[in-house]
Amino acid sequence: MIQYEWRGAWVVAAYGSYDIHSITPLADALKTAVREHSKVVLDASGITFADSTLLNLLILTHRSGTLRVAAPSRQLRRLCDITGVDTVLVMRETVDEAAIS
């Protein structure tokens, strides 16, 4: 995971798969990010697998602050679409779009 500031937003770039066993570092990073920054972007382009654990984290983070999901993988986009989470979260095609919207 990499974190950096981009165009006034704090970006958390996640890589790999996220489930109940691997979510803690990302959860900690997002929790800190929304507490310390007015806009947080999750760069989801490197996420190779996600289940309901990640969806739950994204919803909780969204409720805690301003979260944008950028460049979700096809698998993550489909999961959000099937569950209706895409109607709750702000999803953008690129980190640039997410940072300025």
Side-chain angles (χ1 to χ4, degrees):
M1 179 178 358
I2 299 170
Q3 299 183 56
Y4 58 94
E5 190 276 328
W6 183 254
R7 297 188 174 198
W10 189 252
V11 178
V12 177
Y15 300 94
S17 57
Y18 291 95
D19 60 20
I20 191 77
H21 303 290
S22 60
I23 199 73
T24 302
L26 180 58
D28 291 346
L30 289 175
K31 182 178 180 181
T32 300
V34 297
R35 190 173 56 239
E36 296 178 1
H37 303 278
S38 60
K39 185 187 290 185
V40 176
V41 174
L42 173 64
D43 178 352
S45 62
I47 296 176
T48 56
F49 172 81
D51 66 8
S52 60
T53 308
L54 179 65
L55 293 183
N56 187 49
L57 173 62
L58 296 179
I59 292 167
L60 291 173
T61 303
H62 172 74
R63 289 182 180 168
S64 299
T66 302
L67 174 69
R68 305 281 190 261
V69 178
S73 65
R74 197 165 82 187
Q75 189 265 341
L76 180 57
R77 185 175 294 280
R78 179 153 169 70
L79 183 61
C80 290
D81 180 50
I82 289 169
T83 60
V85 171
D86 63 336
T87 64
V88 175
L89 299 176
V90 176
M91 301 178 89
R92 299 289 186 250
E93 292 298 317
T94 67
V95 171
D96 276 344
E97 289 177 23
I100 61 174
S101 65

